[in-house]
Amino acid sequence: MAAAPGGRGRCVAVPLPLPGAASPPCAAAAAASAGGRGKAAEVAAMALPVLSSSGVKFRRVLAHFPQELSLAFAYGSGVFRQAGPSAGHSENNMLDFVFAVDDSVTWHMMNLLKNKSHYSFLKVFGPKQISNIQSYGAGIYYNTLVPCNGRMIKYGVISTDALIDDLLHWKTLYVAGRLQKPVKILTQNENGKLQAALVSNLKSAVTAAFLMLPESFSEEDLYMQIAGLSYSGDFRMIIGEDRSKVQNIVKPNVPYFQKLYSNILQDCPQVVYKHHLGRLEIDKSPEGQFTQLMALPKNLQQKITSLVDPPGKNRDVEEILLQVAHDPDCGLVVHQGISGIVRSSSIVQSAKTILTAGSREEWRLRWMFYQERRLYYMLMTRNVKQL
């Protein structure tokens, strides 16, 4: 879609360095990764090659914003090709970004000076109130349908501390879930705690997926499970989203998932990774599952505990997780716990859209964009059925 005339600033081209590609090392337990192994090379695997000529395109967008960023990445169908009705048309899809900042109030203040028209009516209340609203739900504030260089973009702002909390503990799984799938990392500072948290999030995703999979499964099955974690319990998957979304994400991008997870799988002591066959085998004994449950992020452990432990018993977490490890429905309990985390954060975050969506003109553009994608999807679906 072409940029709407007037009102919003245009991007200028200023080259920014991109980190090179590497693969993160693995550790046995996800929780242990947060300390001591925070090297840039461990998370540079997420800076993966994407669509042709995309590097300059992303740098031009990033140059339009205040540069005080601890992490910036692009994600979604505008970055990585997806299967389904929109396959082959990713160059026309909206570009999605997330910016992590150390000081949200200061960053919004600078961005209001540069890009005031990006904000809804909330701009009249100033950067402090915008930052306060940002803290609700998933802790991220989105400006949407911003015309830039002939494309529509959407960008979310999250504090570095809130991002680290989500990566380590899965407080909301909103941004952490996006970082469990391939993304295009545009810039990243030397914050060792953030770098270690990014690696921990990948290991936690593998651990949770193991608990919901059978003893033997394909590599693609694993990536489907991982990609689906952040959609579990999301009401948008029932209202408005393509039911095949997870499959459409994974199938064209298996090599990118391998870049993220192959070293983790090779170093994991509880898995036999038959890389040449694309198959994996895991320890499904109660002892093996207990080890995996104990390595899950803290918030997920608490969700599982609340599901299993009747009120008033007040047993400790370790005792409850040992009980779950012996339960034939262990994977279902883990899935229910993840769904509980995602459901609450997705509802609150979607409600925030009413405040952050912008002017009447922006709502009109949003509706036009939605109807355009909906019509295209319907036409493509009809053509596929006729074939």
Side-chain angles (χ1 to χ4, degrees):
M1 178 180 289
R8 310 215 187 205
R10 299 182 65 84
C11 296
V12 293
V14 177
L16 293 173
L18 295 177
S23 296
C26 180
S33 68
R37 292 179 56 163
K39 299 178 182 177
E42 291 181 321
V43 292
M46 286 177 284
L48 301 171
V50 290
L51 303 177
S52 61
S53 303
S54 62
V56 172
K57 172 177 63 181
F58 294 134
R59 290 198 295 271
R60 291 183 68 195
V61 171
L62 197 62
H64 192 51
F65 297 94
Q67 296 302 297
E68 289 71 12
L69 303 170
S70 59
L71 178 72
F73 65 89
Y75 66 95
S77 59
V79 185
F80 293 88
R81 291 187 179 91
Q82 296 186 8
S86 62
H89 292 265
S90 52
E91 292 293 341
N92 299 321
N93 291 346
M94 184 183 294
L95 293 175
D96 299 299
F97 300 87
V98 168
F99 303 148
V101 301
D102 291 340
D103 185 339
S104 295
V105 176
T106 300
W107 195 90
H108 282 297
M109 179 181 67
M110 293 188 295
N111 198 42
L112 282 165
L113 293 173
K114 291 171 69 74
N115 304 303
K116 191 173 184 177
S117 61
H118 294 184
Y119 290 83
S120 70
F121 71 94
L122 292 172
K123 59 178 169 279
V124 302
F125 298 106
K128 188 171 183 181
Q129 278 301 106
I130 290 173
S131 185
N132 287 339
I133 292 169
Q134 175 182 309
S135 65
Y136 288 101
I140 187 166
Y141 185 102
Y142 271 102
N143 283 326
T144 62
L145 288 173
V146 176
C148 183
N149 290 348
R151 296 286 293 271
M152 283 292 180
I153 72 166
K154 175 180 73 176
Y155 63 94
V157 182
I158 186 171
S159 75
T160 306
D161 288 341
L163 175 57
I164 290 172
D165 190 31
D166 197 26
L167 291 168
L168 290 178
H169 307 303
W170 288 9
K171 184 179 179 181
T172 69
L173 251 180
Y174 199 87
V175 181
R178 281 159 172 71
L179 285 162
Q180 290 163 0
K181 297 177 274 290
V183 302
K184 176 76 172 180
I185 289 187
L186 306 176
T187 187
Q188 182 179 344
N189 68 12
E190 295 299 317
N191 185 328
K193 189 175 180 182
L194 173 58
Q195 291 162 2
L198 287 163
V199 178
S200 177
N201 180 48
L202 296 180
K203 295 171 184 173
S204 295
V206 169
T207 302
F210 281 172
L211 286 160
M212 294 185 286
L213 286 163
E215 187 173 7
S216 177
F217 49 91
S218 72
E219 206 169 344
E220 188 173 300
D221 290 336
L222 173 64
Y223 302 144
M224 290 278 287
Q225 196 70 249
I226 290 173
L229 292 176
S230 61
Y231 296 115
S232 303
D234 190 337
F235 76 96
R236 292 171 301 174
M237 294 300 289
I238 303 172
I239 305 172
E241 288 283 6
D242 181 3
R243 300 287 182 88
S244 304
K245 188 175 182 70
V246 174
Q247 180 176 308
N248 292 344
I249 290 171
V250 173
K251 282 190 175 296
N253 295 300
V254 168
Y256 296 112
F257 279 92
Q258 289 174 328
K259 283 270 189 177
L260 279 178
Y261 291 105
S262 61
N263 279 13
I264 290 175
L265 297 173
Q266 288 170 358
D267 290 348
C268 220
Q270 290 187 305
V271 65
V272 177
Y273 182 25
K274 301 176 180 179
H275 187 271
H276 60 294
L277 297 175
R279 300 288 303 178
L280 299 98
E281 296 174 3
I282 54 174
D283 182 2
K284 297 297 288 186
S285 68
E287 294 79 8
Q289 294 193 140
F290 178 66
T291 299
Q292 293 159 9
L293 287 164
M294 289 297 292
L296 290 175
K298 180 177 65 176
N299 192 38
L300 179 53
Q301 289 181 340
Q302 292 171 346
K303 287 289 183 181
I304 293 171
T305 299
S306 65
L307 286 170
V308 175
D309 196 32
K313 280 200 170 185
N314 297 322
R315 295 182 295 166
D316 61 40
V317 172
E318 186 171 342
E319 181 184 352
I320 296 167
L321 294 183
L322 183 60
Q323 174 188 329
V324 174
H326 285 80
D327 190 334
D329 293 325
C330 173
L332 178 60
V333 176
V334 173
H335 181 268
Q336 290 173 338
I338 293 171
S339 296
I341 295 171
V342 173
R343 186 181 301 110
S344 57
S345 64
S346 67
I347 290 173
V348 177
Q349 191 64 36
S350 295
K352 282 167 60 176
T353 303
I354 298 171
L355 295 176
T356 63
S359 63
R360 181 182 298 180
E361 175 66 12
E362 185 164 328
W363 273 106
R364 188 182 69 82
L365 288 170
R366 179 192 295 274
W367 179 251
M368 288 173 59
F369 186 83
Y370 169 75
Q371 290 296 336
E372 179 185 278
R373 303 311 302 166
R374 181 172 176 269
L375 177 61
Y376 179 75
Y377 175 76
M378 289 172 61
L379 290 173
M380 288 298 297
T381 303
R382 185 180 301 169
N383 291 339
V384 170
K385 287 180 179 179
Q386 288 175 352
L387 291 175

